[in-house]
């Protein structure tokens, strides 16, 4: 059996060692627990990995460490020392009792905010907050989406003024530039708005330009160019102005040879629909008194200026009963009210060839709605 004095000495040595380890030996000052983290702001591009340093300094207390996004401790933590945490969150040194640095992979715009590293103390009633870091502000730098140009759904005639909109979103920071071009010429936007107007994690921009269209714009493109600090170069989107233009056809009906024609001559009645856009036209040429006698319509052809032309022909013999026959061409273009043209076939009868003054000139009219 060990002597009482020896046992007492061993107990005293154990207590002194324990106090030494805990830093609480008589006369020693207690060191207040501190949670150290960078205040930021930390800027990280979307898709990259964010590192959030956190170290504990001072007296150790029982209890875990958690990372919170925002000041509301009632929200689930993004990291908890004693609980499973999301797969995008990684503890850098898992075995450390003082370093609680974490990493968040595949950063997204919604990850922007202020992050707090918090030390909790274990009590009989559960854990309570013991100390918190000052918070690290995180800004996520996000690239704008591919711009989109929108225009009216219907078509308009040359001379009309049309408003076009260009939009892009999901970007940060807020500063962004939208530039419009018609062909190679820069145009001034009538309005450009970045929303929301206050602080936010991402932004959207809408820009409007008004363009007075002309027939020559069938071959012209409108361009929206986006410039943002996250983009190397620019983002661009183009729009064919031909997609909103409607150029009505010019309708002409004629006879070949020109009227009046000799009796029993081969005659061709031709209807021309020229210079229209888009290529959405139906053309019917027929004898007014015999609508079953229809012309033969050829496929449309494209002109150098981007418009289209089409024709229909009806071949016949200039018999005496055909004299003063009327032929009508009916043209429907792009679901618009029809246009029509009419020609009257005048035939020279025998008496007229001897100099009769009753010969009538050929007639051709074009009616517009």
């Amino acid at each position: 059996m060990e002597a009482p004095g020896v046992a007492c000495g061993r107990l005293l040595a154990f207590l002194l060692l324990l106090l030494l380890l805990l830093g609480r030996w008589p006369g020693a000052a207690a060191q207040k627990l501190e949670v150290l983290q960078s205040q930021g702001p930390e800027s990280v591009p979307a898709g990259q990995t964010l590192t959030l340093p956190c170290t504990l300094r001072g007296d150790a207390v029982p209890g875990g460490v958690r990372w919170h996004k925002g000041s509301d401790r009632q929200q689930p933590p993004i990291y908890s020392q004693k609980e499973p945490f999301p797969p995008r969150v990684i503890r850098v040194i898992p075995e450390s009792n003082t370093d609680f640095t974490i990493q968040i992979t595949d950063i997204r715009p919604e990850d922007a905010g202020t992050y707090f590293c918090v030390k909790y103390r274990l009590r009989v009633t559960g854990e309570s907050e013991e100390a918190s870091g000052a918070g690290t502000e995180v800004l996520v730098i996000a690239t704008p989406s591919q711009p989109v140009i929108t225009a009216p759904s219907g078509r308009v005639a040359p001379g009309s003024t049309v408003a076009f909109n260009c939009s892009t979103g999901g970007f940060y920071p807020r500063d962004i530039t939208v530039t419009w071009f018609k062909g190679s010429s820069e145009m001034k936007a009538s309005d450009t708005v970045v929303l929301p107007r206050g602080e936010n994690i991402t932004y959207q921009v809408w820009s409007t330009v008004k363009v007075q269209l002309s027939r020559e714009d069938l071959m012209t493109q409108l361009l929206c160019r986006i410039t943002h600090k996250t983009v190397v170069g620019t983002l661009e989107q183009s729009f064919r102005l031909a997609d909103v233009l409607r150029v009505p056809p010019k309708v002409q009906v004629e006879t070949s040879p020109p009227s009046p024609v000799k009796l029993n001559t081969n005659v061709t009645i031709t209807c021309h629909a020229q210079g229209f856009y888009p290529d959405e036209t139906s053309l019917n040429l027929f004898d007014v008194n015999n609508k079953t006698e229809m012309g033969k319509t050829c496929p449309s052809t494209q002109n150098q200026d981007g418009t289209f032309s089409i024709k229909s022909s009806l071949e016949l013999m200039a018999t005496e009963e055909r004299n003063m026959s009327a032929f009508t061409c009916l043209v429907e273009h792009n679901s618009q009210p029809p246009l029509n043209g009419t020609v009257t076939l005048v035939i020279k009868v025998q008496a007229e060839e001897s100099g009769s003054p009753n010969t009538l000139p050929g007639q051709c009219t074009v009616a517009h709605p």
Side-chain angles (χ1 to χ4, degrees):
M1 178 178 293
E2 193 174 54
V6 175
C8 184
R10 290 181 182 276
L11 178 59
L12 180 59
F14 173 76
L15 291 175
L16 290 174
L17 178 60
L18 182 60
L19 290 172
L20 180 64
L21 291 174
L22 294 177
R24 297 295 180 89
W25 60 88
Q31 187 175 7
K32 182 180 178 181
L33 177 66
E34 293 182 282
V35 179
L36 306 178
Q37 61 176 119
S38 59
Q39 292 186 5
E42 300 287 344
S43 297
V44 57
Q48 300 298 311
T49 297
L50 168 68
T51 299
L52 293 171
C54 173
T55 55
L56 304 185
R57 185 173 64 184
D59 292 340
V61 298
V65 173
R66 300 173 193 165
W67 275 94
H68 293 273
K69 181 184 175 185
S71 57
D72 186 359
R73 304 293 192 258
Q74 301 303 315
Q75 295 297 321
I78 64 165
Y79 165 83
S80 176
Q81 184 182 5
K82 298 183 178 180
E83 300 171 10
F85 41 93
R88 290 197 298 131
V89 179
I90 301 170
R91 173 86 181 275
V92 176
I93 309 176
E95 65 278 5
S96 176
N97 292 322
T98 58
D99 191 324
F100 289 88
T101 300
I102 62 170
Q103 290 182 332
I104 304 176
T105 62
D106 187 23
I107 281 292
R108 304 163 187 174
E110 58 267 27
D111 292 327
T114 302
Y115 291 79
F116 295 88
C117 182
V118 183
K119 170 63 178 176
Y120 285 82
R121 178 185 286 271
L122 181 61
R123 302 182 186 279
V124 176
T125 56
E127 288 190 330
S128 63
E129 183 175 329
E130 178 72 11
S132 171
T136 302
E137 183 182 3
V138 174
L139 305 177
V140 179
I141 301 175
T143 302
S145 59
Q146 179 65 27
V148 175
I149 295 178
T150 55
S153 56
R155 293 181 179 272
V156 298
S160 302
T161 298
V162 177
F164 295 87
N165 293 294
C166 180
S167 61
T168 182
F171 58 88
Y172 187 93
R174 193 176 194 276
D175 293 337
I176 196 167
T177 302
V178 183
T179 310
W180 288 94
F181 293 88
K182 181 184 177 186
S184 59
S185 301
E186 184 174 342
M187 298 190 69
K188 183 178 180 181
S190 60
D191 191 25
T192 299
V193 179
V194 181
L195 296 176
R197 299 186 185 278
E199 290 297 320
N200 204 54
I201 58 175
T202 60
Y203 296 90
Q204 294 179 305
V205 63
W206 285 269
S207 183
T208 302
V209 68
K210 294 181 179 179
V211 183
Q212 185 174 28
L213 300 175
S214 66
R215 183 188 180 97
E216 290 71 28
D217 288 330
L218 287 173
M219 308 293 284
T220 305
Q221 285 194 338
L222 191 67
L223 180 75
C224 173
R225 177 175 294 167
I226 302 294
T227 306
H228 190 258
K229 68 178 297 182
T230 62
V231 178
V232 178
T234 59
L235 294 174
E236 297 181 347
Q237 183 62 51
S238 60
F239 185 92
R240 296 173 61 249
L241 293 178
D243 290 343
V244 295
L245 266 171
R246 180 196 300 113
V247 181
K250 296 179 180 179
V251 181
Q252 180 182 6
V253 189
E254 59 186 6
T255 64
S256 179
S259 190
V261 299
K262 292 182 180 181
L263 186 67
N264 296 325
T265 300
N266 289 323
V267 179
T268 301
I269 313 295
T270 304
C271 173
H272 298 274
Q274 299 174 315
F276 58 87
Y277 191 92
D279 187 16
E280 299 173 8
T281 298
S282 65
L283 186 153
N284 292 300
L285 173 65
F286 53 87
D287 186 336
V288 173
N289 296 320
N290 182 11
K291 294 184 179 180
T292 61
E293 194 170 16
M294 306 288 292
K296 180 181 179 181
T297 303
C298 301
S300 62
T301 58
Q302 189 168 21
N303 307 313
Q304 289 186 351
D305 63 357
T307 62
F308 293 86
S309 295
I310 193 172
K311 72 176 182 178
S312 181
S313 300
L314 177 61
E315 296 180 354
L316 50 87
M317 179 71 70
T319 59
E320 189 171 348
E321 57 269 20
R322 292 236 187 225
N323 191 26
M324 302 305 293
S325 295
F327 296 85
T328 291
C329 180
L330 194 64
V331 180
E332 294 184 5
H333 176 244
N334 191 230
S335 303
Q336 297 301 295
L339 303 172
N340 64 78
T342 301
V343 68
T344 300
L345 178 62
V346 180
I347 300 173
K348 291 181 181 179
V349 295
Q350 202 66 26
E352 293 171 336
E353 291 181 352
S354 62
S356 170
N358 296 325
T359 301
L360 298 176
Q363 299 177 6
C364 180
T365 60
V366 179
H368 295 274

